[in-house]
Amino acid sequence: MSEDGPDRKQSSIRLTDAQRLAWLRLIRSENIGPATFRSLVNHYGSATEALEALPELSRRGGAKKRIRICTQVDAEDELDRCAAMGARFVALGEPDYPRLLRFIDAPPPLLAVIGDATPLAGNAVAIVGARNASIAGCKIAAKLSGELAAADLVVVSGLARGIDTAAHKASLETGTVAVLAGGLDHIYPPENEGLYRAIVDAGGAIVSEMPFGWAPRARDFPRRNRLISGLSYGVIVVEASRRSGALHTARFALEQGREVFAAPGSMLDPRTEGCNRLIKDGATMVLSVGDILTALSPLIDSGGPAFDTAVEEPESDTPFPISEPDDATRRQIIDALGATPVTVDEIVRHTGLAVAVVRIVLIELEVAGRLERHGAQKVSLVY
């Protein structure tokens, strides 16, 4: 990346105020997610240039209406609201951006943070589980959380009722990290407002990639869960039913190369069915904190998981074409797409077109709202 697009290996860059404003405008614009943000900035060299290109990209992608671009006034208002509550936006590539999070598929380009950034730089492990947790489940979560904190590990969770709450409370003194599904100024559940304040006051951190004022919807929680696992070396599941959202966090952990742990439970309790199934499928069974430390110590000592360099590095060495593809080329790529997700490599092999040509057409389609991403690697057409 150039100008306001830092290389992802750097950890000492700082965006200027103008660059941070442009980044916020771009990520808050319609149909722009983290993966599209990265493609656009790599292509155009800066968020400012990408913003100027959005209307034409949307038109070429076949949008039926004008794309909504976040205005400078709206972005400045969000920055002001952020500063007013003592929070800040940390950009991908800046020193305070969590190291492990940089290497997940489509990391958020901007992370809103309130509290002390120190825990975000620590070696973290996530504890998640049932909202309607039993007394025993909460005791297990609290015990593990306290012992992990005593071993200099940062506990990450989602500020939800039940297991999350128990994990945060037990690790307050050493600095815990809570990840929200809504905006930083929208505490959910409301009864955890006191815990939210306690985390910040005790030197912990609250983070979110969502806009200020954003009330979380059901679909926002899986998005949050990928950040919980992405911040951590491993995920511990304590009480989870067969359909629990905690299992989504475990799945993200596996996809991100993290360790997955589960506390076993009675086969008569539906709240432990998900945990028992995780163990059956290969997750590490947790009988004591030693089981977690034994598994994670070699990973932490080695500096972290072995990441795919194709994900780690921006692909700026293969620039997109300056001229737009012709209609026949665009139609060839659209015809190759369908409702079933496919990778860019599969599209390239099927069409025989250059990777750069395929990528720019996919950007056009996504900006126009006609393409859906499945992770950072697969796409499908929206009908």
Side-chain angles (χ1 to χ4, degrees):
M1 292 183 180
S2 61
E3 193 191 330
D4 51 353
D7 183 281
R8 292 177 69 185
K9 275 191 171 179
Q10 292 179 312
S11 59
S12 60
I13 65 98
R14 288 284 187 189
L15 296 187
T16 66
D17 291 344
Q19 290 169 344
R20 201 176 306 276
L21 181 65
W23 275 43
L24 186 59
R25 287 188 62 200
L26 184 58
I27 193 60
R28 297 293 189 246
S29 294
E30 186 179 14
N31 299 329
I32 307 299
T36 309
F37 179 100
R38 176 188 171 190
S39 295
L40 285 166
V41 175
N42 280 344
H43 177 30
Y44 290 101
S46 76
T48 301
E49 296 294 328
L51 283 164
E52 293 179 1
L54 287 183
E56 177 61 14
L57 287 170
S58 178
R59 183 195 67 78
R60 281 160 38 184
K64 296 181 180 179
K65 60 180 181 179
R66 186 177 180 83
I67 185 173
R68 181 191 59 77
I69 299 174
C70 178
T71 66
Q72 182 163 325
V73 171
D74 286 343
E76 288 173 343
D77 178 66
E78 184 168 0
L79 288 171
D80 289 343
R81 294 171 70 181
C82 180
M85 67 179 296
R88 62 204 177 281
F89 282 105
V90 179
L92 180 64
E94 291 188 320
D96 290 347
Y97 197 92
R99 189 182 67 85
L100 290 183
L101 193 61
R102 293 168 53 213
F103 302 104
I104 70 171
D105 279 350
L110 287 172
L111 199 62
V113 180
I114 185 169
D116 192 335
T118 303
L120 296 175
N123 297 321
V125 60
I127 298 181
V128 296
R131 288 177 170 82
N132 63 332
S134 67
I135 294 174
C138 289
K139 285 183 176 180
I140 291 170
K143 176 179 172 59
L144 292 175
S145 182
E147 292 175 348
L148 289 167
D152 294 326
L153 288 171
V154 176
V155 174
V156 178
S157 199
L159 203 73
R161 303 178 181 94
I163 298 301
D164 290 22
T165 294
H168 285 308
K169 285 183 176 179
S171 55
L172 275 177
E173 292 184 5
T174 53
T176 184
V177 175
V179 186
L180 304 189
L184 272 191
D185 57 347
H186 199 290
I187 301 171
Y188 184 85
E191 63 261 33
N192 270 351
E193 181 176 354
L195 178 58
Y196 180 111
R197 306 300 175 196
I199 290 172
V200 174
D201 292 343
I206 313 281
V207 302
S208 174
E209 66 175 321
M210 304 305 287
F212 276 69
W214 187 270
R217 306 159 300 178
R219 69 180 115 172
D220 296 322
F221 288 94
R223 184 169 177 171
R224 176 207 63 177
N225 293 347
R226 93 186 195 287
L227 299 188
I228 292 175
S229 58
L231 286 162
S232 312
Y233 279 98
V235 170
I236 306 160
V237 184
V238 180
E239 290 195 344
S241 66
R242 185 174 57 179
R243 300 180 183 275
S244 171
L247 300 185
H248 292 156
T249 312
R251 177 172 57 81
F252 286 127
L254 291 173
E255 293 172 354
Q256 295 163 353
R258 277 42 168 181
E259 295 291 324
V260 175
F261 305 88
S266 169
M267 63 181 181
L268 300 178
D269 189 343
R271 287 173 294 194
T272 61
E273 182 179 356
C275 292
N276 293 339
R277 190 169 296 277
L278 282 175
I279 294 168
K280 181 179 179 181
D281 292 341
T284 298
M285 181 168 60
V286 176
L287 299 179
S288 72
V289 74
D291 298 320
I292 302 165
L293 298 177
T294 298
L296 291 185
S297 292
L299 191 60
I300 294 172
D301 291 343
S302 67
F307 296 107
D308 182 351
T309 55
V311 174
E312 181 179 351
E313 292 296 326
E315 296 157 346
S316 54
D317 56 332
T318 308
F320 293 123
I322 299 301
S323 60
E324 66 173 275
D326 58 34
D327 289 340
T329 299
R330 190 174 287 107
R331 174 47 56 189
Q332 186 179 0
I333 294 171
I334 293 173
D335 287 344
L337 294 167
T340 301
V342 295
T343 65
V344 173
D345 287 344
E346 288 173 319
I347 300 169
V348 169
R349 286 195 298 270
H350 179 81
T351 61
L353 297 169
V355 174
V357 173
V358 171
R359 283 177 178 155
I360 192 62
V361 173
L362 295 182
I363 288 177
E364 293 173 357
L365 292 171
E366 186 165 16
V367 171
R370 299 179 61 197
L371 194 78
E372 181 178 0
R373 286 191 180 270
H374 305 268
Q377 306 301 322
K378 291 187 175 184
V379 296
S380 65
L381 205 59
V382 174
Y383 291 95

